[in-house]
């Protein structure tokens, strides 16, 4: 495939390719047939050879890895056409010792998991569904910071890729025009004083039509009013790069290195919001800060301040 991509729009002669790959013309033909089966459009013209017409927008590991300039995240990619949840598969791989940065990605999830026991609608070829194994040297109570760091990576990736004004709704939803376009679910294995691994699951609605999404959901295609589908492979590459950049900042210089950007992309700060804490209590007030622990700080109606480490935010006004 690399040979085809390097050749751009010109034909590659069968003879040259066979020679370069050290395989027979018949073996090359079989290879081309296999590529066509997974969705590559390759033109074959007698005497001229082969030309790559179109690459499928499938999350094929080979496509994601092509020109991917990350050092850790995405260096190992496990692609599935369809599975229950990439988080579940990544968790199993991590338990078997898969390395930091290994990524599980699927074209479709049949049991996509959301935060707070919700499900994540994951139709075939509509979005990006990926989970990354991380093994940071942090304490379990710092795991929520990883999700915030990932939200910064994800919002930057969406902005670079689509030019849409994506924002973070604390803790880690990505909104466009107040509608949810992406979400993050972290799962942890560890003991009270140690993190074994974290599964960082990210779902982005890329081309999914709004009618297939839950109320309040949207996709990049819907928001950009574009008639053409976005390339999910291109977005995944940008996402992996941005995630790595933010993760490295966090590992080297701590949460403080990411916090100011997190605040600058936050849509809750300065707004009146309601936070439902994990126990079910709901409090309302003006969101005034995301503090050095990653907590959302509300100024309540009585003027007192309350910090939340986790919870679900509703933007009131
Ligand atoms: C949320 O509720 O906002 C979090 C959604 C997280 C969805 C992603 S899709 C890839 C990964 N696998 C899952 O089952 N969930 C996460």
């Amino acid at each position: 495939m690399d040979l085809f991509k390097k050749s751009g729009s010109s034909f590659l002669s069968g003879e040259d390719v066979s020679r370069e790959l050290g395989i027979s013309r018949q073996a090359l033909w079989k290879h081309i047939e296999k590529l066509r089966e997974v969705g590559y459009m390759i033109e074959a013209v007698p005497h001229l050879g082969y030309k790559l017409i179109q690459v499928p927008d499938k999350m094929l590991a080979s496509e994601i890895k092509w020109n991917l300039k990350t050092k850790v995240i995405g260096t190992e990619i496990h692609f599935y056409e369809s599975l229950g949840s990439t988080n579940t598969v990544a968790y199993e791989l991590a338990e078997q010792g898969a390395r930091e940065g290994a990524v599980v990605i699927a074209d479709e999830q049949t049991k996509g998991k959301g935060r707070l026991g919700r499900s994540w609608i994951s139709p075939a070829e509509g979005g990006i569904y990926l989970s990354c194994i991380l093994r940071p040297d942090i304490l379990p109570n710092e795991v929520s910071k990883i999700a915030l760091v990932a939200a910064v990576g994800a919002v930057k990736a969406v902005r670079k890729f689509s030019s849409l004004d994506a924002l973070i709704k604390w803790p880690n939803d990505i909104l466009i025009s107040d509608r949810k376009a992406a979400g993050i679910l972290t799962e942890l294995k560890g003991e009270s004083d140690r993190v074994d691994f974290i599964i960082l699951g990210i779902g982005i609605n890329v081309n999914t039509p709004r009618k297939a999404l839950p109320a309040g959901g949207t996709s990049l295609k819907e928001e950009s009013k574009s008639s053409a589908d976005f390339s999910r492979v291109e977005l995944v590459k940008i996402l992996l790069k941005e995630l790595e950049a933010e993760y490295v900042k966090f590992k080297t210089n701590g949460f403080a290195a990411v916090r100011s950007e997190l605040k600058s992309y936050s849509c809750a700060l300065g707004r009146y919001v309601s936070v439902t804490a994990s126990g079910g209590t709901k409090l309302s007030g003006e969101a005034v800060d995301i503090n050095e622990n990653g907590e959302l700080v509300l100024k309540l109606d009585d003027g007192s301040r309350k910090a939340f480490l986790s919870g679900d935010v509703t933007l009131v006004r």
Side-chain angles (χ1 to χ4, degrees), residues 197-214:
F197 58 77
I198 294 170
I199 304 302
L200 171 68
I202 305 183
I204 307 181
N205 303 325
V206 183
N207 297 318
T208 320
R210 209 181 257 180
K211 60 179 183 329
L213 293 167

Side-chain angles (χ1 to χ4, degrees), residues 4-12 43 50-53:
F4 277 114
K5 288 189 176 155
K6 281 183 198 142
S7 74
S9 56
S10 40
F11 276 95
L12 284 175
E43 195 181 348
Y50 301 104
K51 184 159 92 174
L52 178 63
I53 308 287

Side-chain angles (χ1 to χ4, degrees), residues 248-265:
V248 167
K249 267 190 227 167
F250 170 71
K251 288 222 294 190
T252 331
N253 297 316
F255 182 62
V258 185
R259 184 174 156 227
S260 55
E261 271 196 302
L262 170 66
K263 287 175 66 171
S264 73
Y265 289 123

Side-chain angles (χ1 to χ4, degrees), residues 84-88 104 109 111-116 118-120 122 128-131 172-173 180 182-185 187 200-204:
S85 157
T86 55
N87 264 33
T88 308
V104 176
Q109 293 185 121
K111 287 195 184 114
K113 297 189 280 188
R115 283 177 70 233
L116 311 165
R118 297 178 187 135
S119 56
W120 186 257
S122 316
I128 289 172
Y129 320 114
L130 76 79
S131 301
N172 33 50
D173 290 351
K180 180 158 168 171
I184 294 177
L185 173 70
E187 292 181 76
L200 171 68
I202 305 183
I204 307 181

Side-chain angles (χ1 to χ4, degrees), residues 69-74 100-101 132 134-138 145-146 148-150 152-153 156 200 239-258 261:
K69 294 187 179 73
T70 56
K71 293 200 172 70
V72 181
I73 295 187
E100 161 144 296
C132 180
L134 298 175
R135 298 182 181 276
D137 189 10
I138 57 169
K145 289 183 189 162
I146 295 280
L148 297 170
V149 167
V152 175
K156 283 185 165 180
L200 171 68
L239 177 66
L240 296 178
K241 198 158 164 275
E242 295 298 326
L243 284 176
E244 178 161 292
E246 298 309 317
Y247 185 55
V248 167
K249 267 190 227 167
F250 170 71
K251 288 222 294 190
T252 331
N253 297 316
F255 182 62
V258 185
E261 271 196 302

Side-chain angles (χ1 to χ4, degrees), residues 51 72 78 129 131 137 148 153 157 159 173 179 200 228 235 253 272 278 282 286 293 305 308:
K51 184 159 92 174
V72 181
H78 302 259
Y129 320 114
S131 301
D137 189 10
L148 297 170
R159 283 171 163 259
D173 290 351
R179 289 176 159 270
L200 171 68
L235 176 53
N253 297 316
Y272 194 86
S278 1
K282 189 171 166 180
E286 187 194 341
N293 299 324
R305 287 176 182 236
F308 296 84

Side-chain angles (χ1 to χ4, degrees), residues 4-207:
F4 277 114
K5 288 189 176 155
K6 281 183 198 142
S7 74
S9 56
S10 40
F11 276 95
L12 284 175
S13 92
E15 204 180 324
D16 290 349
V17 181
S18 316
R19 198 179 330 104
E20 184 98 16
L21 299 178
I23 56 174
S24 68
R25 294 289 290 272
Q26 207 186 357
L28 173 64
W29 175 249
K30 280 198 181 138
H31 190 61
I32 299 275
E33 281 303 293
K34 281 215 181 97
L35 288 170
R36 283 176 169 161
E37 277 165 26
V38 285
Y40 289 91
M41 269 170 68
I42 297 169
E43 195 181 348
V45 177
H47 309 299
L48 278 176
Y50 301 104
K51 184 159 92 174
L52 178 63
I53 308 287
Q54 201 183 325
V55 171
D57 191 34
K58 274 197 182 168
M59 295 300 182
L60 301 168
S62 54
E63 284 304 322
I64 296 171
K65 279 190 168 165
W66 167 256
N67 259 342
L68 179 70
K69 294 187 179 73
T70 56
K71 293 200 172 70
V72 181
I73 295 187
T75 45
E76 185 180 316
I77 293 178
H78 302 259
F79 165 75
Y80 296 82
E81 296 244 348
S82 176
L83 46 60
S85 157
T86 55
N87 264 33
T88 308
V89 172
Y91 198 100
E92 286 161 8
L93 286 171
E95 282 193 310
Q96 290 155 22
R99 64 169 181 241
E100 161 144 296
V103 163
V104 176
I105 190 155
D107 253 338
E108 171 193 51
Q109 293 185 121
T110 51
K111 287 195 184 114
K113 297 189 280 188
R115 283 177 70 233
L116 311 165
R118 297 178 187 135
S119 56
W120 186 257
I121 307 286
S122 316
E125 292 164 23
I128 289 172
Y129 320 114
L130 76 79
S131 301
C132 180
I133 296 169
L134 298 175
R135 298 182 181 276
D137 189 10
I138 57 169
L139 293 169
N141 64 6
E142 288 190 294
V143 170
S144 58
K145 289 183 189 162
I146 295 280
L148 297 170
V149 167
V152 175
V155 84
K156 283 185 165 180
V158 168
R159 283 171 163 259
K160 279 196 179 156
F161 174 73
S162 67
S163 306
L164 291 163
D165 285 329
L167 292 170
I168 300 168
K169 181 169 75 94
W170 182 95
N172 33 50
D173 290 351
I174 307 295
L175 305 193
I176 302 168
S177 307
D178 281 358
R179 289 176 159 270
K180 180 158 168 171
I184 294 177
L185 173 70
T186 49
E187 292 181 76
L188 157 81
K189 183 169 182 208
E191 323 244 308
S192 56
D193 58 346
R194 176 175 64 92
V195 168
D196 250 7
F197 58 77
I198 294 170
I199 304 302
L200 171 68
I202 305 183
I204 307 181
N205 303 325
V206 183
N207 297 318

